[in-house]
Amino acid sequence: MDIAPVSRAAVSDTVFAHLVDEILSGRVAVDEALPSERELALAFAVNRHAIREALKRLQQARLVRISHGGKTRVQDWRLTAGLDVLSTLAATGAVPAVQIARDIMVMRRTVAADAARLCARNATDDQLATIADAAAAYPAEYHGESSSSAFDADLTFWTAIIDGSGNLAYRLALNTLVAAFADIGFGSIADLGMAAELADRDAHLTLAEHLVARDADAAHRVADDLLGRVVDALSGQQ
């Protein structure tokens, strides 16, 4: 492993980030043992408490396991890690950004379209009014990645729909996906094909109308079409 001393500020965070990069990039193989706490502390030039905290976080992320004899061994993150590793994958570059973006968008379309159907059935009148207001406030023009207004408006709109669905797991998944988007870069996402969705104010208004009318099937259909555009664009770049 290529390890260099780190600054004293937030040392456990720095150690954690470095070790995650080593693991996700494959520079440390699955089942390979990490150096001991003492060896890591010497290599990073930090105290063992910082190393211990970093290793604890790696274990919580299910990237390593503590095996017999006290050795810390790398796990196959594809088999053990959860959604929370998405943003880290994007940040480290361990998986191509286009692949991560496409896979995120496929999940986003599936979850959000179903959330729209559930929202039409389960949302309160106040929640539906919030969705209608969010659609009405959607920018009339899209100016590309130079403007954040469409990203903010789109996030506000879909957050209201997912909240209206009443599904807590969908809400937590949204948080994870937004974090991954941020690490990839919202401008890059737009360049990769999201512009066709962000620029379509009419589709957002139509979806809101179906939700307010509590037409679950129509809401699902419009949501699936709207969010499927970026999936199609990204699939063409694979």
Side-chain angles (χ1 to χ4, degrees):
M1 294 175 62
D2 182 18
I3 298 175
V6 298
S7 66
R8 298 292 175 183
V11 289
S12 66
D13 290 342
T14 304
V15 172
F16 173 75
H18 188 105
L19 292 175
V20 166
D21 186 62
E22 292 289 308
I23 292 169
L24 295 183
S25 66
R27 289 190 290 271
V28 184
V30 173
D31 287 330
E32 182 177 342
L34 296 180
S36 68
E37 286 184 8
R38 179 178 176 277
E39 292 170 325
L40 288 171
L42 288 172
F44 282 111
V46 300
N47 60 50
R48 291 180 67 171
H49 176 72
I51 297 298
R52 198 169 295 117
E53 285 297 312
L55 293 177
K56 180 179 179 181
R57 290 173 62 188
L58 288 175
Q59 186 176 29
Q60 290 172 339
R62 298 186 296 281
L63 296 178
V64 301
R65 70 180 186 280
I66 306 299
S67 59
H68 294 298
K71 290 187 178 295
T72 301
R73 295 190 178 277
V74 173
Q75 299 200 98
D76 185 345
W77 60 266
R78 293 180 182 275
L79 300 178
T80 60
L83 279 176
D84 51 308
V85 81
L86 273 176
S87 59
T88 309
L89 281 170
T92 61
V95 177
V98 172
Q99 180 183 337
I100 294 176
R102 182 187 62 82
D103 291 349
I104 288 173
M105 290 302 185
V106 169
M107 180 178 177
R108 175 175 177 260
R109 176 185 62 184
T110 302
V111 168
D114 190 58
R117 176 161 45 201
L118 291 174
C119 181
R121 296 170 179 167
N122 301 333
T124 66
D125 290 342
D126 286 345
Q127 287 175 320
L128 293 176
T130 297
I131 293 168
D133 289 343
Y138 202 87
E141 296 182 1
Y142 175 66
H143 300 289
E145 65 177 275
S146 61
S147 173
S148 63
S149 59
F151 288 110
D152 293 341
D154 193 64
L155 179 57
T156 298
F157 180 73
W158 284 107
T159 298
I161 291 174
I162 289 177
D163 285 344
S165 75
N167 189 303
L168 178 59
Y170 284 176
R171 186 63 174 87
L172 297 178
L174 172 67
N175 296 340
T176 301
L177 299 187
V178 170
F181 288 165
D183 284 327
I184 294 172
F186 290 109
S188 297
I189 293 291
D191 284 344
L192 290 172
M194 198 172 176
E197 173 192 332
L198 295 174
D200 196 341
R201 181 174 187 266
D202 288 343
H204 288 76
L205 289 168
T206 299
L207 176 53
E209 290 171 0
H210 289 318
L211 291 170
V212 170
R214 297 191 180 277
D215 189 336
D217 290 339
H220 180 275
R221 183 174 60 253
V222 172
D224 186 72
D225 174 74
L226 179 61
L227 274 64
R229 298 173 191 177
V230 64
V231 174
D232 292 340
L234 289 170
S235 295
Q237 298 181 45
Q238 290 284 292

